[in-house]
Amino acid sequence: MGRSLGPMMLTLVVLFSPVAQAQPLAGADNPQEVLAAQIRMQGFACDKPLGAVRDKKRSRPDYAVWTLKCSNGTYQIGRAPDMAAKVESVR
């Protein structure tokens, strides 16, 4: 008897897959939503994501750096394939 993955589990699988982490979020419809979900899973609070901007100067081919602004704070997020995001509170 087969079972399908629930939407949350499917999101986790896609979000943490090496391919998803290696891909830049610039083409995503709502990169702030994807980044907010990722940092929430890592224990950070982001009540309402307001925007995300990729830091082109700090980013490298396999390491994307983003600034995520939430209603309750601003975070700098570094994303590399096969690793948890490096998250720092900016303000």
Side-chain angles (χ1 to χ4, degrees):
M1 176 181 229
R3 293 184 353 190
S4 65
L5 294 174
M8 182 59 143
M9 184 59 150
L10 184 58
T11 300
L12 291 173
V13 170
V14 170
L15 186 61
F16 286 105
S17 74
V19 174
Q21 289 194 6
Q23 298 295 323
L25 296 176
D29 290 338
N30 290 313
Q32 66 267 10
E33 294 291 339
V34 175
L35 292 166
Q38 183 170 12
I39 69 168
R40 283 186 202 120
M41 287 189 289
Q42 290 183 225
F44 293 87
C46 181
D47 296 334
K48 182 179 178 188
L50 303 175
V53 177
R54 185 164 182 196
D55 187 335
K56 293 180 183 179
K57 289 183 181 179
R58 292 185 177 166
S59 295
R60 298 184 308 267
D62 284 340
Y63 190 77
V65 178
W66 291 82
T67 300
L68 173 66
K69 183 170 180 157
C70 300
S71 60
N72 59 320
T74 302
Y75 301 95
Q76 185 175 53
I77 304 167
R79 300 176 77 235
D82 299 324
M83 297 181 68
K86 180 180 176 187
V87 182
E88 293 180 33
S89 180
V90 177
R91 294 179 211 158

